[in-house]
């Protein structure tokens, strides 16, 4: 019972100070309160549960226990989870052309950021090397100088 009383007290004592005046918040939760995060998480968990149980839109699990999330492909391999880069089927493999009128640092940054994503998104060495080779091939097809420097 003590926990419930503490919880109730934390929700009812919503005083804050602005400049030299004290106010009582009469609606909602105080954002600075440690309880705010807890209650927000509990609410969102319950809300998500309800939405996922009633929604016709369910996450699409692809063949072989794979699912794409943003730009990551998550794959269940035996009892492990492996990640790699995901590209939509409509991905055209086009990046900033080296002959464009952009700063040299921006042009080099495109290649560096693509390669950096392989380090942060690929959980296996095999996936990382495969993605790096794919990036190099794509940039070489575009005949870009950054790709030649990656050789």
């Amino acid at each position: 019972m003590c926990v419930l009383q503490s919880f109730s007290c934390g929700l009812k004592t919503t005083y804050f100070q602005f400049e030299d005046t004290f106010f009582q918040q009469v609606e909602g939760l105080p954002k600075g309160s440690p309880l705010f995060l807890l209650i927000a998480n509990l609410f969102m968990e319950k809300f998500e549960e309800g939405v996922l149980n009633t929604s016709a839109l369910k996450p699409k699990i692809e063949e072989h226990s794979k699912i794409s999330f943003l730009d990551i492909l998550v794959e269940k391999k035996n009892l492990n989870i492996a990640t790699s880069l995901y590209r939509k089927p409509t991905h055209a493999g086009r990046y900033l052309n080296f002959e464009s009128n952009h700063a040299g640092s921006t042009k080099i940054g495109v290649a560096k950021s693509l390669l950096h994503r392989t380090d942060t998104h690929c959980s296996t060495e095999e996936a990382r090397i495969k993605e790096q080779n794919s990036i190099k091939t794509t940039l070489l097809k575009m005949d870009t100088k950054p790709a030649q420097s990656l050789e």
Side-chain angles (χ1 to χ4, degrees):
M1 188 65 173
C2 183
V3 173
L4 289 176
Q5 287 174 339
S6 298
F7 197 71
S8 177
C9 179
L11 292 175
K12 291 179 181 173
T13 54
T14 56
Y15 295 97
F16 64 94
Q17 179 181 359
F18 179 72
E19 294 179 350
D20 292 332
T21 308
F22 285 90
F23 298 91
Q24 181 179 16
Q25 184 173 339
V26 293
E27 197 173 302
L29 294 170
K31 288 188 179 180
S33 168
L35 288 176
F36 175 77
L37 186 59
L38 173 68
I39 294 170
N41 283 336
L42 289 172
F43 173 81
M44 287 307 295
E45 185 177 325
K46 195 71 173 166
F47 178 76
E48 287 172 358
E49 239 176 57
V51 168
L52 288 176
N53 289 336
T54 59
S55 175
L57 299 173
K58 303 274 186 205
K60 179 184 169 194
I61 305 292
E62 297 178 5
E63 292 180 26
H64 310 293
S65 301
K66 296 179 183 179
I67 187 168
S68 59
F69 177 73
L70 301 175
D71 61 345
I72 299 175
L73 181 65
V74 181
E75 182 177 7
K76 182 180 175 188
K77 290 185 177 181
N78 299 325
L79 297 175
N80 297 319
I81 292 178
T83 59
S84 60
L85 290 175
Y86 173 76
R87 292 178 186 86
K88 292 181 180 181
T90 57
H91 175 70
R94 292 185 176 165
Y95 300 103
L96 184 63
N97 190 303
F98 198 75
E99 302 302 323
S100 69
N101 193 19
H102 287 82
S105 59
T106 301
K107 297 171 189 178
I108 299 293
V110 169
K112 283 185 176 181
S113 66
L114 289 170
L115 290 174
H116 178 70
R117 285 176 60 222
T118 64
D119 292 333
T120 59
H121 291 35
C122 297
S123 62
T124 64
E125 186 68 15
E126 176 188 350
R128 189 177 65 76
I129 291 170
K130 178 184 171 193
E131 290 299 334
Q132 287 176 346
N133 289 336
S134 173
I135 291 165
K136 288 176 188 176
T137 302
T138 302
L139 293 177
L140 284 171
K141 281 182 187 174
M142 294 177 57
D143 194 30
T144 61
K145 290 180 176 60
Q148 294 163 359
S149 68
L150 297 173
E151 286 292 313

